[in-house]
C-alpha cells in the first residue's frame, strides 16, 4: 500500500485476488453492458481506497471521531449535487429505516476507523469483502432473493480468501 509504506506479503495477494474474483462471481458480469457503465464502480472503488488510506494516514494526527465527522461532511458535500432533482422525501416507515441505516453506518465507520488506526492496512483491508457476503445473505433472508449455485460458490471463495488472508497477515506483512 504505497501511500502508507506498508506492503502485503506475497501469498496475501493471492487471497486478495481470490476475494475480488468471489465478489465478481456474486455480483455477476453483464457482457452486453457498455464498459462505461462500470466506470462509476471503478471510480468509487478508487475513491474508497483513497479514503481508507487517508484514514490510516490521519491516525497519528486526529482522533477517530474527528476523522468520521469530516468523512461524513465530505460525503455529504459530494453527494448533495447528485441528489438535486432526484430527491424524494421518505415516508414514516422509510424514516425509521434511514435512521437505523445511519446508526449502523456510524457504528461501522467508527470501528473501521479504529481498526485502521491500530493495525496495518494489509491485515484489515480484506475484511471489506465480507460486506458483499452479508448483503447477499440479508437479501436472501429478508427479501427472499434466491441464490444460484455460482453465487454460493462466490460467497465461499470470499470467506475462504478472507480467512486465509487474515491467517497469513501477521506472518506476511513486510515493512520497509
Amino acid at each position: 500500500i504505497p501511500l502508507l509504506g506498508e506492503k502485503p506479503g506475497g501469498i496475501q495477494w493471492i487471497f486478495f485476488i481470490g476475494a475480488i474474483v468471489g465478489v465478481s462471481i456474486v455480483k455477476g458480469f453483464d457482457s452486453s453492458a457498455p464498459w462505461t457503465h462500470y466506470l462509476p464502480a471503478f471510480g468509487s472503488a478508487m475513491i474508497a481506497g483513497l479514503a481508507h488510506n487517508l484514514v490510516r494516514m490521519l491516525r497519528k494526527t486526529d482522533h477517530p471521531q474527528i476523522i468520521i465527522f469530516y468523512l461524513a461532511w465530505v460525503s455529504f458535500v459530494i453527494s448533495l449535487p447528485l441528489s438535486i432533482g432526484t430527491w424524494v422525501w421518505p415516508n414514516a416507515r422509510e424514516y425509521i429505516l434511514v435512521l437505523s441505516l445511519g446508526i449502523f453506518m456510524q457504528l461501522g465507520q467508527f470501528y473501521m476507523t479504529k481498526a485502521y488506526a491500530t493495525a496495518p492496512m494489509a491485515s484489515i483491508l480484506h475484511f471489506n469483502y465480507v460486506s458483499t457476503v452479508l448483503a447477499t445473505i440479508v437479501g436472501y433472508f429478508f427479501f427472499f432473493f434466491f441464490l444460484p449455485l455460482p453465487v454460493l460458490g462466490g460467497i465461499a471463495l470470499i470467506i475462504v480468501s478472507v480467512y486465509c488472508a487474515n491467517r497469513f497477515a501477521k506472518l506476511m506483512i513486510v515493512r520497509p
Side-chain angles (χ1 to χ4, degrees), residues 29-127:
F29 183 78
D30 184 3
S31 60
S32 66
W35 65 272
T36 54
H37 289 189
Y38 295 100
L39 289 179
F42 290 126
S44 65
M46 298 284 285
I47 291 170
L50 180 62
H52 293 165
N53 278 281
L54 290 175
V55 167
R56 178 86 173 132
M57 290 169 63
L58 291 172
R59 77 187 188 279
K60 295 178 182 175
T61 58
D62 293 306
H63 191 274
Q65 290 176 341
I66 298 297
I67 296 169
I68 292 168
F69 177 76
Y70 284 113
L71 281 174
W73 273 106
V74 169
S75 299
F76 173 74
V77 169
I78 290 172
S79 62
L80 184 63
L82 300 173
S83 66
I84 293 175
T86 60
W87 176 260
V88 176
W89 286 102
N91 60 34
R93 179 180 176 272
E94 292 168 340
Y95 270 117
I96 294 170
L97 292 173
V98 168
L99 181 64
S100 65
L101 178 69
I103 290 169
F104 286 116
M105 187 274 310
Q106 284 297 316
L107 285 171
Q109 184 70 45
F110 176 75
Y111 286 112
M112 183 192 75
T113 303
K114 295 274 288 182
Y116 283 149
T118 58
M121 184 76 98
S123 66
I124 298 168
L125 190 60
H126 52 273
F127 285 106

